[in-house]
Amino acid sequence: MARANELAPQCRRSHACALGGTVEGEMPAPRRYTTEAIVLSRFDLGEADRVLTLITPTGGKMKAIAKGIRRPTSRLGGSLEPFAELTVTLARG
């Protein structure tokens, strides 16, 4: 099997991405990003959290955890209803 540095540039890129790394000189994917989303469904998790199923233009269908959204002092709970159109900031990991 050829090593990553012996492959053609396009092969090195796919090989590095498959291993979760980056090709030298490229920036890694940002941990935090903002995107448009539509809430497809939601269910409660624990005492104060909620799991949301979102659909985004770039990421497709994904699940996200809204931490502390069910606390009595939370002002965001009403905006996370199904079929709500949102601008959300998500963090990978």
Side-chain angles (χ1 to χ4, degrees):
M1 179 174 205
R3 296 186 184 271
N5 58 0
E6 297 171 355
L7 300 174
Q10 68 274 12
C11 296
R12 274 200 319 249
R13 176 172 289 133
S14 63
H15 181 71
C17 293
L19 297 176
T22 59
V23 175
E24 187 176 325
E26 288 188 15
M27 295 288 293
R31 177 169 156 73
R32 237 180 1 183
Y33 63 99
T34 302
T35 185
E36 300 290 321
I38 297 175
V39 178
L40 297 178
S41 67
R42 66 189 177 121
F43 63 90
D44 296 339
L45 176 70
E47 190 172 314
D49 305 332
R50 184 170 280 159
V51 176
L52 304 171
T53 302
L54 306 172
I55 189 161
T56 63
T58 57
K61 185 173 143 184
M62 63 177 61
K63 299 224 184 233
I65 299 176
K67 304 292 277 183
I69 202 68
R70 293 175 49 213
R71 291 188 182 135
T73 57
S74 175
R75 296 169 27 188
L76 298 175
S79 63
L80 296 178
E81 296 296 321
F83 305 111
E85 296 179 13
L86 309 169
T87 301
V88 294
T89 300
L90 301 170
R92 285 181 173 69

